Amino acid sequence: MNSNDIVFDTHAISDFVGEHEVKALEAQVLAAHEKLHRYEGPGREYLGWLGWPLHCGREEVEQIIRVARQVREKAEVFVVIGIGGSYLGARSALDLLGHSLYNQLPKEKRGGPQIYFAGCNLSATYLTHLWELIGEKELVINVISKSGTTLEPALAFRFFRTMLEQRYGKIGARERIIATTGETGALRQLARQEGYETFTVPGDIGGRYSVLTAVGLLPVAVAGIDINAIMAGARHGCKLYDEDRPPNNPAYRYAALRQLLYRKGKIIELLATYEPSFLYFTEWWKQLFGESEGKDQKGIYPAGVNFTTDLHSLGQFIQDGYRNLFVTTLWLDKPPVDRDIPLLTEDMDGLNFLAHKTMHYVNGKACAGTIMAHSAGGVPNLKIIIPEMTPRYYGQLVYFFEKACAISGYLLGVNPFDQPGVEAYKNNMFALLRE
Ligand code: PA5
């Protein structure tokens, strides 16, 4: 690893976990590594994501870029229909790597269509408001569902397909629908029958591990983001987080520390970020860890806070409330933009002492001060430092968390690649709907 890499900083944890404890867990981490890499652990049939950045074909990425280019030429609005792992990755990358107000920018500045999401709720209000906004604009949709049977995207797709067929006719609609789905299932069948442009979600890659496939890459490429660079970063991640064993592997160290904290009663992990563009990355991370670990009445509850905003709401609880949580701070060393604070001739707000310092400098002090305060208040803090938010670091970060999550799940003794609990509400809902 070099200094330009993502850094896992554990200096603030020493009051809570000793190095001897990390060392004592090393054999278990190694066993988890062996189990994963020898395809011997639970969920081994869903390990397609492991090393995927190295194995995924160039032609696949090129096809995504080619289709994205056509969408950029044709569409004024691009709607991504999907839920959970079928939208959170793309949304996180768009927010982190694009302009904060991408959809509000004039077309010349965007360079591509406006991008909206649907099928991630059951709200007719949201759908209707989205339609009102789309109006007569040229529309292309990407329906993403690995199973092809998930209710929320299936219903949204019904509405959008009907709308497209009414507007463009059956043939015109076909040219404006891209389906990203599994090798079999209802959506695959329909796509075949209608001749939609189609991308395949590999059968051995679960939804929450699919951001580096067409599921995440196509919407991101439509926004003009360099997906080759994302994959290069992820490949670098494979090198760092697959090849190194503990104690040198930062992903394994993160997995080990969060499990040690969990064993000490820290059952909630807050992912804390200091740029609002991380909001959906946090959502992606919550799904990754929540769905992977929360089973068999075990698991760390993954939650997110967006600082400094949430320091004015949840800050009190974190500092002073029930002591069952720890924080992992995701710190961006160099934000895309920074600004000098202006000097005022009349120092009415008393903040002239900050003049000519930058906003990011202040944000950095807020972060350091918060970690100090929370540590003193009995909240362990881990920190992940990202040098800057480029497509390359995005890809590396995704792989870091995917790898850490798999190892952490095995340390916890669960199958990190299934999600049996999700079925419970669905069974009830469908039973009630059929009554
Ligand atoms: O991680 C998962 O498997 C789930 O969260 C799915 O991504 C989500 O339920 C959507 O499933 P599908 O892509 O089959 O519509």
Side-chain angles (χ1 to χ4, degrees):
M1 196 193 304
N2 60 53
S3 57
N4 291 329
D5 261 319
I6 291 170
V7 171
F8 181 45
D9 173 358
T10 56
H11 84 269
I13 202 76
S14 52
D15 287 349
F16 302 94
V17 182
E19 272 311 312
H20 63 285
E21 296 174 87
V22 181
K23 186 106 197 93
L25 199 67
E26 228 170 76
Q28 284 179 51
V29 176
L30 192 58
H33 167 91
E34 301 295 345
K35 208 152 59 165
L36 187 70
H37 281 269
R38 291 183 185 159
Y39 293 71
E40 286 171 355
R44 57 189 159 276
E45 62 281 27
Y46 291 109
L47 294 186
W49 61 273
L50 188 65
W52 168 256
L54 302 171
H55 311 135
C56 122
R58 277 185 71 86
E59 318 76 60
E60 166 91 354
V61 177
E62 272 158 24
Q63 198 208 345
I64 293 171
I65 293 172
R66 183 179 54 75
V67 172
R69 204 174 293 131
Q70 290 165 2
V71 174
R72 283 168 70 78
E73 278 160 18
K74 182 155 52 176
E76 292 178 275
V77 178
F78 182 63
V79 174
V80 179
I81 298 176
I83 197 164
S86 288
Y87 95 107
L88 286 171
R91 193 151 189 185
S92 75
L94 290 171
D95 281 6
L96 275 175
L97 301 170
H99 191 283
S100 302
L101 299 170
Y102 173 87
N103 280 335
Q104 280 79 50
L105 290 176
K107 165 97 180 134
E108 327 70 84
K109 283 215 157 182
R110 275 198 321 268
Q114 292 176 307
I115 302 178
Y116 291 100
F117 290 85
C120 41
N121 54 52
L122 287 171
S123 167
T125 309
Y126 176 80
L127 212 53
T128 308
H129 289 172
L130 181 56
W131 277 345
E132 284 171 8
L133 185 133
I134 294 168
E136 295 303 307
K137 291 189 186 123
E138 266 298 328
L139 172 67
V140 173
I141 66 171
N142 180 198
V143 53
I144 309 176
S145 177
K146 183 180 175 192
S147 61
T149 52
T150 307
L151 184 66
E152 292 88 341
L155 288 181
F157 182 47
R158 266 187 178 229
F159 283 112
F160 270 95
R161 196 178 146 209
T162 310
M163 177 214 200
L164 283 169
E165 287 182 355
Q166 277 166 0
R167 203 204 277 182
Y168 300 106
K170 237 178 161 359
I171 296 172
R174 277 180 199 145
E175 288 161 5
R176 290 170 173 83
I177 298 173
I178 303 164
T180 306
T181 187
E183 280 141 18
T184 56
L187 182 57
R188 166 67 55 179
Q189 220 176 319
L190 177 73
R192 230 178 251 140
Q193 181 190 307
E194 296 289 316
Y196 299 152
E197 180 75 62
T198 309
F199 290 93
T200 302
V201 190
D204 57 0
I205 301 187
R208 58 189 175 276
Y209 279 84
S210 69
V211 52
L212 299 174
T213 70
V215 171
L217 296 182
L218 178 63
V220 171
V222 168
I225 293 164
D226 182 356
I227 61 170
N228 274 313
I230 292 182
M231 294 309 281
R235 277 195 295 279
H236 183 56
C238 291
K239 214 170 139 37
L240 291 177
Y241 313 129
D242 285 352
E243 287 178 7
D244 267 341
R245 305 286 188 274
N248 296 326
N249 186 324
Y252 291 5
R253 189 164 162 78
Y254 172 54
L257 280 166
R258 58 197 300 287
Q259 285 305 316
L260 287 168
L261 289 166
Y262 174 67
R263 291 173 194 183
K264 292 182 181 200
K266 305 299 180 191
I267 58 161
I268 298 172
E269 179 177 13
L270 296 175
L271 191 73
T273 57
Y274 285 78
E275 287 281 342
S277 56
F278 275 98
L279 196 67
Y280 271 90
F281 189 81
T282 301
E283 293 303 311
W284 172 83
W285 173 90
K286 277 160 64 179
Q287 190 205 355
L288 179 68
F289 280 89
E291 238 175 33
S292 300
E293 291 194 320
K295 46 198 73 156
D296 306 333
Q297 284 76 57
K298 294 191 278 193
I300 299 168
Y301 184 82
V305 278
N306 174 26
F307 288 162
T308 58
T309 313
D310 290 339
L311 285 172
H312 299 262
S313 57
L314 289 169
Q316 169 62 35
F317 190 104
I318 301 166
Q319 185 65 43
D320 233 3
Y322 201 77
R323 302 296 71 190
N324 61 350
L325 36 91
F326 68 98
V327 174
T328 297
T329 297
L330 214 48
W331 176 250
L332 188 58
D333 224 16
K334 186 169 177 284
V337 181
D338 199 2
R339 291 196 84 94
D340 276 356
I341 294 164
L343 178 77
L344 300 182
T345 36
E346 283 175 58
D347 189 14
M348 299 292 281
D349 55 9
L351 294 177
N352 261 355
F353 74 101
L354 293 176
H356 306 307
K357 300 255 184 338
T358 73
M359 287 290 280
H360 187 59
Y361 171 84
V362 178
N363 214 9
K365 296 299 172 201
C367 176
T370 303
I371 291 176
M372 279 160 64
H374 288 165
S375 300
V379 178
N381 269 268
L382 302 167
K383 192 173 181 188
I384 296 163
I385 303 164
I386 309 148
E388 54 186 320
M389 193 32 80
T390 59
R392 195 181 157 86
Y393 284 122
Y394 177 85
Q396 184 180 341
L397 190 64
V398 161
Y399 201 79
F400 171 86
F401 280 123
E402 287 182 346
K403 194 64 195 293
C405 183
I407 296 295
S408 185
Y410 279 167
L411 288 175
L412 184 65
V414 298
N415 175 352
F417 308 111
D418 65 359
Q419 54 281 333
V422 180
E423 293 312 310
Y425 96 88
K426 285 189 195 167
N427 293 339
N428 289 342
M429 175 179 67
F430 281 112
L432 290 169
L433 285 169
R434 288 200 174 97
E435 252 171 30

Short mmCIF file of all heavy atoms in Angstrom, two decimals, residues 356-376:
data_model
loop_
_atom_site.label_atom_id
_atom_site.label_comp_id
_atom_site.label_asym_id
_atom_site.label_seq_id
_atom_site.Cartn_x
_atom_site.Cartn_y
_atom_site.Cartn_z
N HIS A 356 -9.91 33.25 5.35
CA HIS A 356 -8.86 32.68 4.50
C HIS A 356 -8.51 31.23 4.85
O HIS A 356 -7.69 30.61 4.19
CB HIS A 356 -7.60 33.56 4.46
CG HIS A 356 -7.94 34.96 4.06
ND1 HIS A 356 -8.66 35.24 2.92
CD2 HIS A 356 -7.70 36.15 4.67
CE1 HIS A 356 -8.84 36.56 2.83
NE2 HIS A 356 -8.28 37.13 3.89
N LYS A 357 -9.13 30.70 5.90
CA LYS A 357 -9.06 29.24 6.06
C LYS A 357 -10.13 28.68 5.11
O LYS A 357 -11.00 29.42 4.64
CB LYS A 357 -9.42 28.83 7.51
CG LYS A 357 -8.50 29.43 8.56
CD LYS A 357 -7.58 28.38 9.07
CE LYS A 357 -6.67 28.74 10.18
NZ LYS A 357 -6.30 30.10 10.47
N THR A 358 -10.09 27.41 4.85
CA THR A 358 -11.09 26.89 3.91
C THR A 358 -12.21 26.17 4.66
O THR A 358 -12.04 25.77 5.82
CB THR A 358 -10.46 25.92 2.89
OG1 THR A 358 -10.16 24.70 3.58
CG2 THR A 358 -9.22 26.48 2.24
N MET A 359 -13.32 25.98 3.94
CA MET A 359 -14.45 25.24 4.51
C MET A 359 -14.02 23.83 4.89
O MET A 359 -14.42 23.30 5.92
CB MET A 359 -15.58 25.14 3.47
CG MET A 359 -16.33 26.42 3.22
SD MET A 359 -17.35 26.89 4.63
CE MET A 359 -18.78 25.82 4.41
N HIS A 360 -13.18 23.23 4.04
CA HIS A 360 -12.76 21.86 4.31
C HIS A 360 -11.86 21.79 5.54
O HIS A 360 -11.89 20.80 6.29
CB HIS A 360 -12.04 21.29 3.09
CG HIS A 360 -11.74 19.83 3.23
ND1 HIS A 360 -12.71 18.87 3.42
CD2 HIS A 360 -10.55 19.15 3.22
CE1 HIS A 360 -12.15 17.69 3.53
NE2 HIS A 360 -10.86 17.83 3.42
N TYR A 361 -11.08 22.85 5.74
CA TYR A 361 -10.25 22.92 6.94
C TYR A 361 -11.15 22.88 8.18
O TYR A 361 -10.90 22.13 9.13
CB TYR A 361 -9.42 24.21 6.89
CG TYR A 361 -8.67 24.53 8.16
CD1 TYR A 361 -7.43 23.97 8.42
CD2 TYR A 361 -9.23 25.39 9.10
CE1 TYR A 361 -6.76 24.26 9.60
CE2 TYR A 361 -8.57 25.69 10.28
CZ TYR A 361 -7.33 25.12 10.52
OH TYR A 361 -6.68 25.40 11.69
N VAL A 362 -12.22 23.67 8.14
CA VAL A 362 -13.15 23.71 9.28
C VAL A 362 -13.82 22.34 9.45
O VAL A 362 -13.94 21.82 10.57
CB VAL A 362 -14.22 24.82 9.06
CG1 VAL A 362 -15.23 24.84 10.20
CG2 VAL A 362 -13.54 26.19 8.93
N ASN A 363 -14.21 21.74 8.31
CA ASN A 363 -14.84 20.41 8.35
C ASN A 363 -13.88 19.40 9.00
O ASN A 363 -14.29 18.56 9.80
CB ASN A 363 -15.18 19.98 6.91
CG ASN A 363 -16.44 19.15 6.82
OD1 ASN A 363 -17.18 18.99 7.80
ND2 ASN A 363 -16.71 18.59 5.66
N GLY A 364 -12.61 19.52 8.65
CA GLY A 364 -11.60 18.61 9.21
C GLY A 364 -11.48 18.76 10.71
O GLY A 364 -11.34 17.76 11.44
N LYS A 365 -11.55 20.01 11.17
CA LYS A 365 -11.46 20.23 12.63
C LYS A 365 -12.73 19.71 13.31
O LYS A 365 -12.69 19.19 14.42
CB LYS A 365 -11.28 21.73 12.95
CG LYS A 365 -9.97 22.30 12.42
CD LYS A 365 -8.75 21.61 13.04
CE LYS A 365 -7.47 22.05 12.36
NZ LYS A 365 -6.37 21.13 12.53
N ALA A 366 -13.86 19.86 12.61
CA ALA A 366 -15.12 19.32 13.17
C ALA A 366 -15.00 17.81 13.32
O ALA A 366 -15.38 17.24 14.34
CB ALA A 366 -16.29 19.67 12.26
N CYS A 367 -14.41 17.18 12.32
CA CYS A 367 -14.25 15.72 12.34
C CYS A 367 -13.32 15.31 13.48
O CYS A 367 -13.65 14.43 14.29
CB CYS A 367 -13.71 15.25 10.99
SG CYS A 367 -13.36 13.49 10.92
N ALA A 368 -12.17 15.97 13.57
CA ALA A 368 -11.20 15.62 14.61
C ALA A 368 -11.81 15.85 16.00
O ALA A 368 -11.68 15.01 16.90
CB ALA A 368 -9.92 16.43 14.43
N GLY A 369 -12.48 17.00 16.16
CA GLY A 369 -13.10 17.33 17.45
C GLY A 369 -14.18 16.33 17.81
O GLY A 369 -14.32 15.94 18.98
N THR A 370 -14.93 15.90 16.83
CA THR A 370 -16.02 14.95 17.08
C THR A 370 -15.46 13.59 17.50
O THR A 370 -15.94 12.98 18.46
CB THR A 370 -16.89 14.79 15.80
OG1 THR A 370 -17.36 16.08 15.44
CG2 THR A 370 -18.05 13.86 16.00
N ILE A 371 -14.43 13.15 16.81
CA ILE A 371 -13.83 11.85 17.18
C ILE A 371 -13.28 11.91 18.60
O ILE A 371 -13.48 10.99 19.41
CB ILE A 371 -12.74 11.44 16.15
CG1 ILE A 371 -13.42 11.10 14.80
CG2 ILE A 371 -11.92 10.25 16.65
CD1 ILE A 371 -12.48 10.77 13.66
N MET A 372 -12.62 13.03 18.94
CA MET A 372 -12.09 13.17 20.30
C MET A 372 -13.22 13.13 21.33
O MET A 372 -13.15 12.43 22.34
CB MET A 372 -11.34 14.50 20.43
CG MET A 372 -9.92 14.46 19.88
SD MET A 372 -9.28 16.12 19.50
CE MET A 372 -9.25 16.85 21.11
N ALA A 373 -14.29 13.90 21.04
CA ALA A 373 -15.40 13.99 22.01
C ALA A 373 -16.09 12.62 22.15
O ALA A 373 -16.37 12.18 23.27
CB ALA A 373 -16.41 15.03 21.54
N HIS A 374 -16.34 11.97 21.04
CA HIS A 374 -17.04 10.68 21.11
C HIS A 374 -16.17 9.63 21.80
O HIS A 374 -16.69 8.83 22.60
CB HIS A 374 -17.46 10.22 19.72
CG HIS A 374 -18.58 11.03 19.14
ND1 HIS A 374 -18.92 10.99 17.81
CD2 HIS A 374 -19.43 11.92 19.72
CE1 HIS A 374 -19.95 11.82 17.61
NE2 HIS A 374 -20.25 12.39 18.75
N SER A 375 -14.88 9.64 21.51
CA SER A 375 -13.99 8.67 22.19
C SER A 375 -14.04 8.91 23.69
O SER A 375 -14.19 7.97 24.47
CB SER A 375 -12.54 8.83 21.70
OG SER A 375 -12.49 8.61 20.32
N ALA A 376 -13.96 10.19 24.10
CA ALA A 376 -14.00 10.50 25.54
C ALA A 376 -15.35 10.11 26.13
O ALA A 376 -15.44 9.77 27.31
CB ALA A 376 -13.74 11.99 25.74
#
